[in-house]
């Protein structure tokens, strides 16, 4: 694990807590060091403070994502406005924790990021009308005109390759694995983020919006549908 935090007290305390929890931690104090370490010894997960001198956490995130690095990233932020949190997700972060935080919450969110295997969830609403069964294997998923190479982490709609972030890819995979089945908000939050942000959260709607913009094509059927008051479903009209 790579931890980047410019506040010495927070960095040392979090490094010690993570080490006691069983993580092997490399701790640095700024964004420049974080990028250097990420390139030298790619970690399994990154914990990045947003506000750091030189290169901040958002820029570190953008650089890594631009390089094609899909390592899970948890942001630490003292910014509480929704727009600030969305900026972190836009930069490519997978999740965030607001300061001051409970270290147990950090542990829980890290576990959620590291265990994302996206098995087909139990339950969910019944399919709406006749739907072709998704074709699923250990390597790929095909449904509703979407093809996903799970090992290469690449996805296509028809012949057009989609440029997806880690979270977008995993959300699309979950919907494709369950094509035609309405997945409720709680199920999606649990499978993708490992917990439910609560009824007031806009995280899921934000990511569904991102996916729709990347999936939709002029004259082609919409693929992700909103079932008001329930959740979302992937299907061709």
């Amino acid at each position: 694990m790579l931890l980047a935090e410019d506040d010495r007290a927070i960095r040392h305390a979090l490094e010690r807590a993570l080490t006691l929890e069983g993580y092997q931690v490399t701790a640095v104090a700024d964004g420049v060091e974080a990028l250097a370490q990420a390139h030298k010894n790619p970690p399994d997960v990154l914990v990045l403070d947003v506000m750091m001198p030189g290169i901040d956490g958002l820029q570190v995130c953008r650089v890594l994502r631009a390089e094609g690095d899909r390592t899970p990233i948890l942001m630490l932020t003292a910014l509480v406005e929704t727009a600030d949190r969305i900026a972190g997700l836009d930069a490519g972060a997978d999740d965030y924790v607001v300061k001051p935080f409970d270290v147990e919450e950090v542990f829980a969110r890290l576990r959620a990021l590291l265990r994302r295997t996206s098995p087909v969830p139990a339950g969910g609403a019944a399919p709406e009308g006749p739907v072709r069964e998704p074709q699923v294997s250990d390597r790929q998923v095909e449904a509703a005109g979407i093809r996903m190479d799970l090992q290469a982490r690449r996805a296509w709609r028809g012949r057009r390759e989609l440029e997806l972030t880690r979270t977008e890819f995993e959300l699309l995979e979950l919907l494709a694995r369950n094509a035609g089945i309405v997945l409720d908000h709680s199920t999606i939050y649990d499978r993708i983020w490992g917990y439910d942000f609560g009824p007031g959260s806009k995280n899921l709607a934000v990511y569904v919006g991102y996916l729709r913009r990347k999936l939709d094509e002029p004259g082609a059927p919409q693929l992700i549908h909103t079932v008001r008051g329930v959740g979302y479903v992937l299907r061709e009209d």
Side-chain angles (χ1 to χ4, degrees), residues 128-234:
E128 297 186 351
V131 178
R132 287 184 296 175
E133 289 292 323
Q135 302 300 306
V136 181
S137 69
D138 290 338
R139 182 176 179 86
Q140 70 177 23
V141 176
E142 293 188 34
I146 297 295
R147 180 168 59 89
M148 307 184 73
D149 185 324
L150 305 181
Q151 294 183 7
R153 300 192 69 81
R154 299 173 66 186
W156 296 261
R157 179 174 186 176
R159 295 184 178 182
R160 178 171 62 89
E161 184 166 3
L162 308 170
E163 296 295 329
L164 304 177
T165 66
R166 178 187 178 90
T167 300
E168 290 167 355
F169 186 94
E170 294 182 355
L171 177 56
L172 180 59
E173 180 187 350
L174 178 64
L175 292 170
R177 282 178 178 272
N178 297 277
I181 298 174
V182 179
L183 299 180
D184 61 51
H185 298 95
S186 294
T187 296
I188 299 174
Y189 273 125
D190 180 66
R191 302 317 306 170
I192 300 302
W193 284 278
Y195 54 91
D196 194 335
F197 283 90
S201 173
K202 297 182 179 179
N203 282 16
L204 180 54
V206 167
Y207 271 101
V208 169
Y210 292 161
L211 269 180
R212 281 174 171 157
R213 287 196 291 272
K214 294 181 179 183
L215 285 172
D216 290 352
E217 299 173 341
Q222 184 180 38
L223 297 183
I224 300 178
H225 302 266
T226 301
V227 180
R228 193 171 300 278
V230 182
Y232 298 95
V233 58
L234 178 76

